[in-house]
Amino acid sequence: MRVHIATDHAGMELSSHLITALSAGGYEMVDHGPAVYDAEDDYPSFCINAAAAVVADQAAGVDALGIVLGGSGNGEQIAANKVKGVRAALAWNLDTAKLARQHNNANVVAVGGRQHTVEEATELIEAFLAEPFTNAERHERRIGKIATFETTGEVVE
């Protein structure tokens, strides 16, 4: 699986750790930055680029997911969710990480690097990456309604 990763300055240490650990676990890691620490960085471009790469890979039939990191993960999740086709979920415990995949078929996970130890954050992300979508009809129907709104602006009841 290809995994696109992006961060802001607050998640750089975690990002570096994840790139090493997940690469060792067999994931193909693609780093969307930043390349150097800058406490004044603007994370949206990094996260949007990672999210767009996930969508492009998935459209091309590549098995791909994404990770966006920050101090809280909130802004990074918001930025990623602006990309058409992205379903980014903020994970703060194992249940939210797994349910994001199981029920929402999330394709990007956001984690707050200042909210967890490196070990905890790694466990959340590994759980997200390993968890399959259930393909349950009710979940597919709900995701379809979100996609309809995203593409047409129509709210389906």
Side-chain angles (χ1 to χ4, degrees):
M1 175 186 293
R2 185 175 296 158
V3 178
H4 296 274
I5 189 167
T7 189
D8 76 347
H9 62 279
M12 285 195 72
E13 180 181 326
L14 177 57
S15 180
S16 177
H17 166 79
L18 289 168
I19 290 168
T20 300
L22 294 173
S23 291
Y27 292 98
E28 177 190 348
M29 300 301 296
V30 180
D31 186 2
H32 292 271
V36 296
Y37 179 86
D38 177 1
E40 297 294 317
D41 68 6
D42 291 329
Y43 62 85
S45 60
F46 306 126
C47 296
I48 289 168
N49 286 335
V54 169
V55 171
D57 273 354
Q58 289 179 336
V62 175
D63 187 19
L65 293 172
I67 302 166
V68 293
L69 307 167
S72 69
N74 284 313
E76 295 74 22
Q77 177 200 22
I78 291 167
N81 272 320
K82 297 302 178 185
V83 175
K84 184 178 177 181
V86 167
R87 289 175 307 285
L90 181 65
W92 66 90
N93 62 28
L94 282 175
D95 284 340
T96 58
K98 291 177 181 179
L99 287 169
R101 292 286 301 133
Q102 288 174 5
H103 291 190
N104 307 112
N105 201 14
N107 51 7
V108 174
V109 64
V111 173
R114 292 182 177 156
Q115 311 307 311
H116 308 280
T117 65
V118 169
E119 295 77 21
E120 290 169 344
T122 302
E123 184 180 24
L124 296 176
I125 290 164
E126 286 176 337
F128 175 87
L129 295 175
E131 195 67 33
F133 178 52
T134 65
N135 292 302
E137 186 279 329
R138 73 182 191 276
H139 299 309
E140 289 198 16
R141 182 181 67 242
R142 294 165 184 162
I143 293 166
K145 289 181 177 188
I146 294 168
T148 296
F149 178 77
E150 181 179 52
T151 57
T152 69
E154 176 189 359
V155 177
V156 179
E157 297 295 326

